């Protein structure tokens, strides 16, 4: 059984999908707790599944290091096998990353290395991209730079708004995230065997074939 702590900042649709996946014993996933950097609406999903939650808000700390130290203490309290950043919109300092690496993964709404950062969907539209997508990757000290585990592409449609495109990406993202976590739980994907120094190419963007 792979034990997981999930960190979120927002509506938590990826979290909800993970909680639903964990509900199926065949997936071998257990969500131990969900943390957030604000009283995010997505925490309600955890409460519905009787999963404990914690909020560690940066504004209650003198600096980012002090904030992330307490966040890390909360995560470590549960001693998870894996920590999943599922829409967690803060950059974590190297001390947090190295304490959990390589068992710290993130989902990002673009085909990295294209469009890293907080506005990936907006940036893809602004660049006139015809195709964007989603990447699940191991977190390293950079912003969205860690070894890529899986990617899936999503077509940009004429007239797409940021919201419409992001919603279509998120539909794919939820399935990709679950698939990666399930593979880690099954042992078919071994994070300890990745070379953290390389932009590993386990990821080959595949067309979105869920529709
Ligand atoms: C996801 O697209 C995530 O990759 C991005 O923000 C979105 C969060 O969505 N960073 P949700 O909170 O899981 O609904």
């Amino acid at each position: 059984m792979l034990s997981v702590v999930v960190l979120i900042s927002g509506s938590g649709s990826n979290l909800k999908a993970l909680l639903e996946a964990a509900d199926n014993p065949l997936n071998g996933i257990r969500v131990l707790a969900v943390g957030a950097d604000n009283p995010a609406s997505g925490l309600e999903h955890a409460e519905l599944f009787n999963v404990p939650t914690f909020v560690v808000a940066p504004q209650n700390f003198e600096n980012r290091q002090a904030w992330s130290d307490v966040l890390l203490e909360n995560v470590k309290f549960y001693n998870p096998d894996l920590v999943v950043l599922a829409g967690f919109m803060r950059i974590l300092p190297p001390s947090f990353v190295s304490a959990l690496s390589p068992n710290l993964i993130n989902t990002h709404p673009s085909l990295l290395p294209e469009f890293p950062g907080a506005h990936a969907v907006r940036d893809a539209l602004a660049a006139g991209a015809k195709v964007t997508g989603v990447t699940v990757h191991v977190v390293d000290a950079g912003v969205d730079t860690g070894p890529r585990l899986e990617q899936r592409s999503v077509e940009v449609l004429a007239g797409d708004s940021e919201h419409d495109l992001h919603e279509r990406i998120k539909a794919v993202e939820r399935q990709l995230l679950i698939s990666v976590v399930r593979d880690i739980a099954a042992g078919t994907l071994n994070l300890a065997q990745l070379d953290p120094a390389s932009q590993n190419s386990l990821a080959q963007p595949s067309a979105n074939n869920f529709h």
Side-chain angles (χ1 to χ4, degrees):
M1 188 67 81
L2 182 84
S3 61
V4 180
V5 167
V6 185
L7 298 181
I8 65 166
S9 295
S11 64
S13 67
N14 284 288
L15 163 67
K16 180 168 181 271
L18 268 174
L19 289 162
E20 287 166 358
D23 227 19
N24 179 348
L26 293 178
N27 286 327
I29 303 164
R30 180 158 173 236
V31 180
L32 299 175
V34 177
D37 61 336
N38 73 90
S41 62
L43 291 172
E44 284 171 19
H45 299 303
E47 281 149 23
L48 282 172
F49 280 81
N50 288 317
V51 169
T53 63
F54 56 90
V55 175
V56 184
Q59 58 269 29
N60 296 334
F61 296 87
E62 261 184 22
N63 53 46
R64 200 165 70 103
Q65 188 63 47
W67 162 72
S68 73
D69 287 348
V70 173
L71 184 68
L72 181 62
E73 269 175 39
N74 276 264
V75 168
K76 280 182 147 179
F77 173 80
Y78 292 98
N79 195 24
D81 299 319
L82 180 71
V83 177
V84 177
L85 306 182
F88 188 71
M89 302 304 286
R90 303 238 173 221
I91 296 164
L92 292 159
S95 57
F96 186 101
V97 174
S98 62
L100 299 171
S101 180
N103 300 308
L104 175 64
I105 65 171
N106 179 45
T107 174
H108 181 80
S110 78
L111 293 176
L112 291 169
E114 290 190 316
F115 312 119
H119 305 292
V121 180
R122 191 184 308 168
D123 294 347
L125 281 172
K130 297 277 177 274
V131 174
T132 185
V134 57
T135 303
V136 178
H137 66 96
V138 174
V139 177
D140 70 4
V143 177
D144 302 323
T145 51
R148 299 186 283 278
L149 299 171
E150 289 268 6
Q151 295 187 295
R152 207 154 283 165
S153 55
V154 174
E155 199 184 343
V156 180
L157 302 180
D160 256 345
S161 67
E162 183 180 350
H163 176 265
D164 291 348
L165 178 57
H166 201 171
E167 286 304 309
R168 282 207 320 287
I169 290 172
K170 278 167 65 166
V172 176
E173 186 174 26
R174 293 191 279 271
Q175 307 205 33
L176 189 67
L177 180 62
I178 289 165
S179 154
V180 168
V181 175
R182 220 196 263 137
D183 286 350
I184 296 170
T188 51
L189 179 54
N190 187 343
L191 300 181
Q193 281 177 359
L194 296 175
D195 174 2
S198 74
Q199 279 307 319
N200 179 299
S201 272
L202 280 179
Q204 291 296 332
S206 59
N208 164 25
N209 50 11
F210 288 111
H211 299 292

